[in-house]
Each structure stands twice: as structure tokens, then as C-alpha cells.
Amino acid sequence: DVKVTQSSRYLVKRTGEKVFLECVQDMDHENMFWYRQDPGLGLRLIYFSYDVKMKEKGDIPEGYSVSREKKERFSLILESASTNQTSMYLCASTRAGFYEQYFGPGTRLTVT
Amino acid sequence: SQQGEEDPQALSIQEGENATMNCSYKTSINNLQWYRQNSGRGLVHLILIRSNEREKHSGRLRVTLDTSKKSSSLLITASRAADTASYFCATDVRARVTETSGSRLTFGEGTQLTVNP
């Protein structure tokens, strides 16, 4: 079974801190995605990556950056956390040419 | 606005009843998917229907797709309390599909289904 893991289920950070959210998948998937989920707004794509060291902006990249140094790992970075980045963050992966995405359990981030 | 929009936003039914959720979208698609999310967890893929298909079944799930109306429906038959979850439709963005990449998806806001025992 495909497994996508995220480094933390719950995270509390202070405004201005640099925050790293890690995602690891074990099925050699080429594509990885970061979403945030907010009530009434559904899932919104922040960044995605089609290959190691490749990244593309999603719909809401402002305030975020990503890193993909290894195929199995995709990191989301909040350079200077703000309260409006309090949200549920979901990582997903999929094999190239396929559409079904496999999701991690999510990280609920609170910025105070 | 969202590419995929579910209707209704919330649905409450009794165990054993059928639940129907609808999804509308705006642009051409390669396929449409439905996902399920239990409270506070990640999404789980349920079913994918391609643009050249009209109906697809998987266990108690039945999905229809009407590309002329740009809409899809998810029917869960003989619902159980364990079906309580949020259900999302997701459409691909056709223009971004390449041979070597997967397709980025656009998700709707979801339908919250509550099945009462």
C-alpha cells in the first residue's frame, strides 16, 4: 500500500517563526503536492513538484516555499509564519501519468 | 470560483437510506474523481470516471458523469454510520497534463454527509 507520512499531526508556532512541514512517500511517486484546507474554501494547491528539484506554483504560493532534494521527500516552508497561515496542511503524491492522489494524514498548524 | 462545486454542502440521512451528492465544474476535463475525508484526516480516493464514461460502479458507490452539463453525481446506496465523512469531487486541469507528469487537481468545497444510526 502507498504510504504518505507527514512529520507532525499538530504543530503550534509563533508569528515570525520559520516552519518546516515534511512529507515522505514510499512508493517512488514522481509527483508530490502541498495543499491547505480551510473551512468553506476546500483544498487549495500551494505548490507541486513533478521531479526532484522541480517545483511549480499552485493557486496560493504566497508566503510559502518548497524543497524537493530527494524523490520521496517534499518539504513545505513557511519563511515567516503568520496567523493567516493557521490551517490544515495536506501532502499528496501520485505516479507520473496517473491521476489518483494519495494523501497523508495532514498537519494542523496553529500560528499564534 | 471553484472548478468543482459540490451540492449540497451538508446532508443528513438515516442508516440504510441512499445519499446523493452532486458536483458541477466549469472547464473541460480528462476525468473526475471523488474523494472521502474522515474528520481531521487526509483524503482517500474513492473512484475515478473518465470523460468518455457515463457511469461507473464500485461496491455501494455509483458515479455518473454528464459532460454536456458539466456535472457529476455520487450515489452511496444503503448508507452506514461509517459512511459519515466529507466527500469531495476533484477535476483535473486539462491544459496542464503532460506525458511525463501527473495532472494537478482542483477540489470542490465538499459535502458533509452524516449518517445517523
Side-chain angles (χ1 to χ4, degrees):
Chain A
D1 284 346
V2 175
K3 193 169 184 182
V4 180
T5 57
Q6 295 182 228
S7 50
S8 306
R9 288 298 317 280
Y10 300 94
L11 207 53
V12 180
K13 295 292 182 181
R14 294 197 179 275
T15 302
E17 278 193 84
K18 190 169 186 175
V19 182
F20 293 87
L21 302 182
E22 302 283 338
C23 176
V24 178
Q25 49 92 7
D26 66 358
M27 283 300 290
D28 203 35
H29 284 174
E30 290 78 12
N31 308 313
M32 297 187 76
F33 306 82
W34 274 107
Y35 297 90
R36 65 176 281 177
Q37 183 178 23
D38 301 286
L41 296 175
L43 275 77
R44 293 178 292 168
L45 182 64
I46 305 171
Y47 266 99
F48 57 106
S49 170
Y50 288 144
D51 202 350
V52 176
K53 297 191 186 296
M54 293 182 66
K55 60 185 179 184
E56 286 197 37
K57 293 180 180 179
D59 299 318
I60 52 164
E62 296 78 20
Y64 303 94
S65 62
V66 291
S67 172
R68 190 152 181 217
E69 297 296 320
K70 293 185 178 180
K71 191 175 185 180
E72 67 271 17
R73 188 180 298 270
F74 192 34
S75 302
L76 180 69
I77 303 155
L78 286 66
E79 296 290 342
S80 178
S82 64
T83 55
N84 63 12
Q85 292 178 311
T86 291
S87 186
M88 169 72 102
Y89 290 88
L90 293 163
C91 174
S93 72
T94 188
R95 188 170 298 283
F98 287 77
Y99 300 99
E100 175 186 347
Q101 293 192 7
Y102 294 85
F103 281 81
T107 295
R108 187 166 295 280
L109 172 67
T110 301
V111 182
T112 62
Chain B
S1 60
Q2 294 282 332
Q3 162 75 333
E5 296 183 2
E6 289 91 344
D7 169 55
Q9 289 188 329
L11 182 61
S12 182
I13 59 175
Q14 296 299 124
E15 234 177 359
E17 294 180 342
N18 296 341
T20 299
M21 289 159 270
N22 303 297
C23 170
S24 60
Y25 58 92
K26 293 180 172 58
T27 63
S28 296
I29 61 172
N30 285 317
N31 58 69
L32 185 144
Q33 302 179 54
W34 285 91
Y35 287 79
R36 165 195 169 124
Q37 183 181 35
N38 286 72
S39 180
R41 308 292 296 186
L43 278 71
V44 175
H45 179 263
L46 294 176
I47 195 166
L48 179 151
I49 185 165
R50 299 189 187 281
S51 59
N52 60 356
E53 297 176 309
R54 292 296 167 260
E55 188 171 312
K56 200 162 184 180
H57 296 254
S58 177
R60 294 184 297 112
L61 305 180
R62 172 178 169 248
V63 170
T64 61
L65 179 65
D66 187 334
T67 53
S68 66
K69 295 181 179 178
K70 291 187 168 58
S71 67
S72 172
S73 67
L74 171 66
L75 169 68
I76 304 175
T77 59
S79 63
R80 306 165 182 167
D83 293 329
T84 294
S86 292
Y87 292 82
F88 295 87
C89 69
T91 53
D92 69 322
V93 180
R94 181 185 286 270
R96 289 182 181 269
V97 172
T98 69
E99 288 184 0
T100 57
S101 71
S103 181
R104 55 178 288 185
L105 300 178
T106 299
F107 288 82
E109 295 175 22
T111 292
Q112 172 61 49
L113 173 66
T114 302
V115 182
N116 302 298

